[in-house]
Amino acid sequence: MIDRIVSELGPWNWMVLGFALLVMEIVAPGVFMLWIGIAALIVGAVSLAIWDAAFWSWQVQVLVFLVLSLVSAFVGKKLMAGRHGDADQPLLNRRGAQMVGKLATLAEPIKNGRGRIKLGDTLWRVSGPDLPAGTQVRVISAADTDLELTVEAV
């Protein structure tokens, strides 16, 4: 059956498969089908050049396609990995971490280790040593959830 399909379409079967995979990449982007589609197009181009060669059976074509798919996926992963460098604003969505080092005045006293400060237009929950309202404090850390800051007296 595969022999019949390959012989009917000839070398164009790989071109059709390659373009179908590229269309799938456009419809459902994920940058994975792209590399496999490129491998199919390469096998199609080679098939156009050496279609009548005795060794170029459909089994060899499939084997070359599988190897090229792995190689192109590996190369694509290396190419795409270089695009994700360090962010220019690593604390962009971490508001609590942005507050570390800032000075503030306690809006509410810290009692039993908990209180509030006002930074900008936001009241932040803080933890630290018991201090009266109006004391100047410095933010020394932020919880992982950014819901609470740790402060110390200045």
Side-chain angles (χ1 to χ4, degrees):
M1 178 178 152
I2 293 176
D3 235 353
R4 187 174 58 88
I5 294 171
V6 170
S7 64
E8 283 178 13
L9 284 176
W12 294 103
N13 59 0
W14 292 107
M15 297 295 196
V16 169
L17 176 64
F19 285 118
L21 289 168
L22 292 178
V23 167
M24 286 173 53
E25 179 69 32
I26 291 170
V27 171
V31 193
F32 185 75
M33 293 295 175
L34 172 70
W35 308 113
I36 298 172
I38 289 171
L41 291 174
I42 292 171
V43 172
V46 170
S47 291
L48 283 172
I50 62 170
W51 184 252
D52 293 328
F55 70 91
W56 196 245
S57 64
W58 69 267
Q59 294 94 342
V60 173
Q61 293 175 35
V62 169
L63 186 62
V64 169
F65 169 67
L66 292 174
V67 169
L68 282 176
S69 293
L70 290 173
V71 169
S72 64
F74 179 75
V75 168
K77 183 178 191 276
K78 291 292 183 188
L79 285 174
M80 299 307 284
R83 299 178 71 200
H84 300 293
D86 292 335
D88 58 341
Q89 294 180 353
L91 301 177
L92 180 63
N93 291 323
R94 298 176 51 207
R95 289 189 60 216
Q98 292 174 9
M99 301 302 158
V100 174
K102 295 200 176 198
L103 296 175
T105 304
L106 285 174
E108 297 176 12
I110 299 179
K111 293 181 185 173
N112 299 322
R114 303 276 190 248
R116 292 188 183 269
I117 61 172
K118 184 167 181 139
L119 281 170
D121 60 350
T122 305
L123 276 175
W124 290 84
R125 287 187 306 181
V126 295
S127 61
D130 289 353
L131 298 168
T135 304
Q136 279 285 107
V137 293
R138 178 185 322 273
V139 178
I140 57 173
S141 69
D144 288 338
T145 58
D146 281 347
L147 296 177
E148 186 171 272
L149 305 173
T150 305
V151 296
E152 66 182 3
V154 176

